[in-house]
Amino acid sequence: MSDGYTHDPDAIDGDGPGVGDGGAADPDRDPTADEQGAHPEGVDREFDWRGWTLVAAIVVAFLVVPGLIYLYPHVGSAMGLTFWDTYLALPMIPAILLGILAVWATTRP
């Protein structure tokens, strides 16, 4: 007999208890559906316009904005920004927008 934890993969089958039902198994529960709705393999997902929007945002955030800052370092001072503002705050704007867009593009029904 072991004093520690021993994993037994046969102890839990694929039709385990549902969420919020006090541990009782739900006979009407679809074993292919996860807790969010449908199983990921059963959902028709394709790389549509949301994906291309995300790719465009990645190109802007990683190539266009740093290239503009590199080629035109005086642009920040023309807008009233200091040296540190130009190199720290300007890249933060597309980074935040990229994060918001990534969440938007990947959370869909």
Side-chain angles (χ1 to χ4, degrees):
M1 182 167 214
S2 174
D3 290 321
Y5 170 78
T6 303
H7 177 70
D8 184 11
D10 296 327
I12 300 175
D13 59 356
D15 298 326
V19 174
D21 58 1
D26 185 6
D28 297 329
R29 182 175 176 265
D30 182 12
T32 61
D34 63 2
E35 305 307 327
Q36 299 293 322
H39 193 272
E41 294 174 0
V43 177
D44 184 28
R45 300 242 174 147
E46 60 184 37
F47 195 77
D48 58 354
W49 64 275
R50 290 181 185 227
W52 286 113
T53 305
L54 185 59
V55 169
I58 289 172
V59 169
V60 168
F62 285 97
L63 297 176
V64 175
V65 172
L68 287 174
I69 293 172
Y70 177 73
L71 293 175
Y72 301 106
H74 62 279
V75 170
S77 62
M79 294 188 307
L81 298 173
T82 66
F83 175 80
W84 293 109
D85 293 337
T86 302
Y87 286 97
L88 294 176
L90 285 183
M92 184 63 67
I93 295 168
I96 290 172
L97 293 176
L98 179 62
I100 292 169
L101 185 63
V103 170
W104 169 78
T106 58
T107 56
R108 55 186 159 178

